[in-house]
Amino acid sequence: MSLDPSFVGRTYPPTAPYQVGREKIREFATAIGATDPAHHDPAAARALGHPDVVAPPTFPIVLTMAASRQIVDDPALGVDYRRVVHGDQRFAYTRPVVAGDELVCVNTIEEITTRSGHGFLTTRTDVTTVAGEPVVAVWSKLVVRGES
């Protein structure tokens, strides 16, 4: 089943709020080898002008990956997740993610193309605070491998 191009431009409902915890940031930073004290020590983060520890730049993948289930699980779109490989990821920040943030995600399908029998799905996830303050936009490209 190929991806349905009529989905381009479709926006999904906001996700439930995600509470960014200090320990989650520390765990993520440790897992990826991010040793900057601002990721681990509230005093170091405050010395840089942040209210609490600052998440590493790729931290939003924790919530955007879960939010992408809205798209992947939409049966009408035609994503066979068994055939998916990750193609690309990028982040455009308005401000850093910090412990104490309460964030929501809104997913939009930006592009669907087919090349050499493979489907390419580009999504944008806008991450904001529950009050609507923009934090980061995250783009992801998934490749849905065609039948061999």
Side-chain angles (χ1 to χ4, degrees), residues 4-145:
D4 182 347
S6 73
F7 276 66
V8 172
R10 182 171 293 191
T11 297
Y12 290 79
T15 60
Y18 177 90
Q19 182 69 42
V20 179
R22 186 182 289 166
E23 285 308 310
K24 287 291 185 188
I25 290 175
R26 287 177 177 152
E27 290 167 359
F28 186 87
T30 299
I32 66 167
T35 58
D36 187 314
H39 301 315
H40 301 273
D41 178 12
R46 281 192 286 279
L48 296 172
H50 302 289
D52 208 324
V53 294
V54 179
T58 55
F59 180 84
I61 197 69
V62 170
L63 51 153
T64 61
M65 186 73 173
S68 72
R69 297 305 315 174
Q70 291 178 313
I71 295 170
V72 172
D73 290 345
D74 189 335
L77 176 58
V79 175
D80 180 351
Y81 202 70
R82 298 170 300 167
R83 305 192 67 75
V84 168
V85 292
H86 189 260
D88 189 31
Q89 192 83 40
R90 66 186 170 95
F91 303 82
Y93 274 89
T94 303
R95 69 154 176 87
V97 173
V98 296
D101 279 342
E102 195 169 2
L103 304 175
V104 296
C105 297
V106 174
N107 292 307
T108 301
I109 296 177
E110 285 205 336
E111 182 180 48
I112 294 175
T113 59
T114 302
R115 293 190 301 266
S116 301
H118 306 295
F120 293 80
L121 171 66
T122 302
T123 63
R124 184 187 78 243
T125 304
D126 294 307
V127 181
T128 66
T129 65
V130 292
E133 175 193 2
V135 177
V136 61
V138 180
W139 286 267
S140 178
K141 183 173 296 233
L142 300 179
V143 180
V144 182
R145 295 174 293 120

